[in-house]
């Protein structure tokens, strides 16, 4: 089986960190994480960067602890291939910014940097990402610090340019882009160079809600809501005629796509409909991780600290889910798990896939809504609007083509699988 190459575009975030840990815990023959591109979302993008750097700091300490205690070191994918880390979008393209710090905490990890300062590295790494110091891109040795001291490679380029660089430097159809935050970086990359962006094998998106209620509005899931305009632009690349589904722009910051593109984007959507079925309970987590905390595992201590905040927040938001029954939905880790195990035949989209799913960008109450045509009508050959079909929903030459994922290999046991991968 060929080693998979992936990019993770993320806004860490609690479940984002768990998703990154899952990717880095894989065997080196399984996956090469080429790039971690950061966006605003759950928190401000600078806090996202601190959380990622903290994660690598903890993993370096964890591997040392395991080595000293005669344990299997793990995290082979990280030790074999140091990923580039790049900072991306600070704001949505057109909408008012909304963060999810009400759930993740103001620092994205339940206040861990204040409550557990001994687990957070000093801020001396910040200059590694400062574009004013050296705008040429990936850090070399100019900082005075040996880059081999880090488990990652810092970049001074914007994240969307790093996405394009990775896609240019790898053969077409070999890199999977897993997007588990707002799609702003992807929209910027595809606008700047759509043909290079379309070299991607597929884009795996955590976002949206189709038959489930939203989690920030009655119809809006957070990632789709946070930058609905960006999501709509990325979804449009799945269409035979991308400009037919482009969202109306208030500021015209990004141009339309070229009239002809070499191919359509393959996009696999993981909406709340599937991610809400993959959970980790407090009881499962405590049973597996508490002994490791007592044994002195830095990773177990770090993850336990922000998970404690998470389960308390879940109890507050969802009455009846208390104690060991409180469950965290593993939205982002499911997408990474798919990228690692996509050959498993138990992964399956809906029977109606590919579906024409579009993201609402202008509605007063429906921003970020996944709009699906539920009318029972015949498709038509034409590519002109008719009075009975505004928006070309029935046209076979227009509309988006989204693969909405609906089945996974082990949704009932994924929480246990995740914990075993991270801590075994």
């Amino acid at each position: 089986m060929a080693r998979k190459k992936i990019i993770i575009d993320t806004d860490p975030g609690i479940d984002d960190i768990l998703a990154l840990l899952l990717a880095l815990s894989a065997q080196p023959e399984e996956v090469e994480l080429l790039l971690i591109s950061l966006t605003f979302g759950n928190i401000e993008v600078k806090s996202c960067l601190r959380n990622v750097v903290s994660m690598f700091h903890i993993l370096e300490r964890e591997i040392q602890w395991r080595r000293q205690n005669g344990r299997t070191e793990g995290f082979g994918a990280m030790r074999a291939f140091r990923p580039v880390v790049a900072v991306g979008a600070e704001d949505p393209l057109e909408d008012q910014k909304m963060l999810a710090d009400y759930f993740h905490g103001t620092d994205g990890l339940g206040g861990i940097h204040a409550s557990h300062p001994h687990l957070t590295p000093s801020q001396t790494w910040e200059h590694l990402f400062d574009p004013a110091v050296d705008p040429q891109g990936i850090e070399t040795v100019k900082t005075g610090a040996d880059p081999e001291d880090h488990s990652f490679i810092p970049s001074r380029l914007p994240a969307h340019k790093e996405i394009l660089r990775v896609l240019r430097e790898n053969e077409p159809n070999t890199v999977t882009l897993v997007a588990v935050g707002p799609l702003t970086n992807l929209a910027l990359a595809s606008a700047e160079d759509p043909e290079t962006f379309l070299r991607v094998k597929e884009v795996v998106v955590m976002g949206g809600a189709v038959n489930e209620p939203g989690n920030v509005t009655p119809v809006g899931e957070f990632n789709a809501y946070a930058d609905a305009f960006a999501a709509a632009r990325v979804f449009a690349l799945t269409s035979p005629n991308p400009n037919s589904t482009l969202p109306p722009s208030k500021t015209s910051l990004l141009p339309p796509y070229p009239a002809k593109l070499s191919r359509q984007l393959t996009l696999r959507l993981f909406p709340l409909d599937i991610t809400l079925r993959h959970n980790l309970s407090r009881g499962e987590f405590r049973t597996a991780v508490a002994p490791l905390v007592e044994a002195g595992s830095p990773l177990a201590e770090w993850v336990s600290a922000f998970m404690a905040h998470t389960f308390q927040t879940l109890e507050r938001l969802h009455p009846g889910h208390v104690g060991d029954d409180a469950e965290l939905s593993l939205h982002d880790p499911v997408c990474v798990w798919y990228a690692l195990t996509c050959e498993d035949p138990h992964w399956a989209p809906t029977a109606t896939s590919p579906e024409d799913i579009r993201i609402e960008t202008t509605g007063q109450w429906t921003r970020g809504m996944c709009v699906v045509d539920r009318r029972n009508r015949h498709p038509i050959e034409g590519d002109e609007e008719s009075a009975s079909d505004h928006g070309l929903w029935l046209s076979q030459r227009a509309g988006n083509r989204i693969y909405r994922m609906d089945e996974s290999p082990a949704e009932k046991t994924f929480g246990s699988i995740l914990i075993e991968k991270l801590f075994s």
Side-chain angles (χ1 to χ4, degrees), residues 292-322:
L292 293 171
V293 175
E294 293 181 8
S297 162
L299 180 62
E301 181 184 3
W302 189 62
V303 175
S304 292
F306 64 71
M307 289 293 282
H309 163 88
T310 302
F311 288 122
Q312 290 171 2
T313 303
L314 288 166
E315 285 183 328
R316 186 177 73 251
L317 294 176
H318 302 285
H321 293 272
V322 298

Side-chain angles (χ1 to χ4, degrees), residues 208-210 219 224 235 269 355-363 366-374 393 400 402:
V210 177
V219 295
F235 279 34
L269 183 66
E355 298 172 305
D356 186 0
I357 301 175
R358 309 187 195 182
I359 300 293
E360 175 60 52
T361 61
T362 60
T366 55
R367 168 178 157 186
M369 178 182 181
C370 285
V371 182
V372 179
D373 189 355
R374 303 183 191 276
W393 287 90
N400 296 334
I402 307 293

Side-chain angles (χ1 to χ4, degrees), residues 46-105:
K46 290 184 178 179
S47 295
C48 293
L49 177 59
R50 179 169 64 165
N51 291 344
V52 167
V53 173
S54 295
M55 177 190 71
F56 282 109
H57 170 73
I58 290 297
L59 287 176
E60 290 161 7
R61 291 177 53 184
E62 175 72 8
I63 290 171
Q64 183 180 14
W65 175 80
R66 292 184 183 185
R67 187 181 300 131
Q68 291 173 345
N69 288 271
R71 297 172 179 256
T72 302
E73 293 179 10
F75 295 94
M78 181 188 76
R79 291 185 289 117
F81 310 105
R82 295 188 304 148
V84 174
V85 176
V87 181
E90 297 181 4
D91 300 287
L93 295 177
E94 298 207 356
D95 298 314
Q96 181 180 0
K97 181 157 66 176
M98 174 185 179
L99 303 175
D101 50 5
Y102 64 91
F103 182 85
H104 295 267

Side-chain angles (χ1 to χ4, degrees), residues 54 82 92 255 270 285 291 341 353 359 413:
S54 295
R82 295 188 304 148
F270 284 74
F285 179 81
T341 64
S353 288
I359 300 293
T413 58

Side-chain angles (χ1 to χ4, degrees), residues 60-351:
E60 290 161 7
R61 291 177 53 184
E62 175 72 8
I63 290 171
Q64 183 180 14
W65 175 80
R66 292 184 183 185
R67 187 181 300 131
Q68 291 173 345
N69 288 271
R71 297 172 179 256
T72 302
E73 293 179 10
F75 295 94
M78 181 188 76
R79 291 185 289 117
F81 310 105
R82 295 188 304 148
V84 174
V85 176
V87 181
E90 297 181 4
D91 300 287
L93 295 177
E94 298 207 356
D95 298 314
Q96 181 180 0
K97 181 157 66 176
M98 174 185 179
L99 303 175
D101 50 5
Y102 64 91
F103 182 85
H104 295 267
T106 55
D107 67 356
L109 294 177
I112 194 171
H113 300 299
S115 62
H116 294 69
H118 63 289
L119 299 178
T120 300
S122 67
Q123 301 292 100
T124 56
W125 48 264
E126 287 185 326
H127 72 290
L128 298 173
F129 298 88
D130 186 354
V133 177
D134 175 8
Q136 297 306 308
I138 295 176
E139 177 67 15
T140 55
V141 196
K142 298 179 181 179
T143 63
D146 184 351
E148 295 297 331
D149 289 343
H150 303 292
S151 296
F152 60 91
I153 302 172
S155 173
R156 301 186 192 279
L157 281 178
H160 75 277
K161 291 184 179 294
E162 284 289 3
I163 291 172
L164 292 173
R165 177 191 65 79
V166 169
L167 293 175
R168 286 190 194 103
E169 292 179 359
N170 288 273
E171 292 295 320
N173 299 315
T174 60
V175 177
T176 296
L177 203 170
V178 183
V180 293
L183 298 184
T184 316
N185 288 334
L186 280 68
L188 291 170
S190 60
E192 179 170 315
D193 190 343
E195 286 293 350
T196 294
F197 188 79
L198 290 173
R199 290 168 64 94
V200 72
K201 178 181 178 182
E202 61 183 9
V203 174
V204 179
V205 173
M206 192 282 121
V210 177
N211 297 314
E212 286 285 334
N215 56 8
V216 292
T217 73
V219 295
E221 177 275 332
F222 175 81
N223 287 339
Y225 183 96
D227 197 342
F229 186 82
R233 282 192 63 97
V234 174
F235 279 34
L237 284 170
T238 69
S239 172
N241 178 8
N243 290 322
S244 69
T245 60
L246 277 183
S249 173
K250 304 170 188 174
T251 59
S252 300
L253 289 176
L254 300 181
Y257 293 121
K260 291 186 178 180
L261 291 169
S262 61
R263 57 180 291 186
Q264 294 168 231
L265 178 68
T266 299
L267 190 151
R268 297 192 182 274
L269 183 66
F270 284 74
L272 295 181
D273 306 62
I274 183 171
T275 61
L276 285 171
R277 306 201 302 261
H278 296 75
N279 301 293
L280 173 64
S281 73
R282 177 190 265 145
E284 284 181 283
F285 179 81
R286 180 181 48 77
T287 300
V289 179
L292 293 171
V293 175
E294 293 181 8
S297 162
L299 180 62
E301 181 184 3
W302 189 62
V303 175
S304 292
F306 64 71
M307 289 293 282
H309 163 88
T310 302
F311 288 122
Q312 290 171 2
T313 303
L314 288 166
E315 285 183 328
R316 186 177 73 251
L317 294 176
H318 302 285
H321 293 272
V322 298
D324 282 353
D325 293 330
E327 287 188 328
L328 172 67
S329 292
L330 300 169
H331 306 290
D332 299 344
V334 172
C335 296
V336 169
W337 189 37
Y338 166 79
L340 298 176
T341 64
C342 57
E343 294 90 354
D344 191 315
H346 294 94
W347 289 109
T350 59

Side-chain angles (χ1 to χ4, degrees), residues 11 31-32 182 184 214 252 345:
D11 56 337
V31 67
E32 180 179 359
T184 316
S252 300

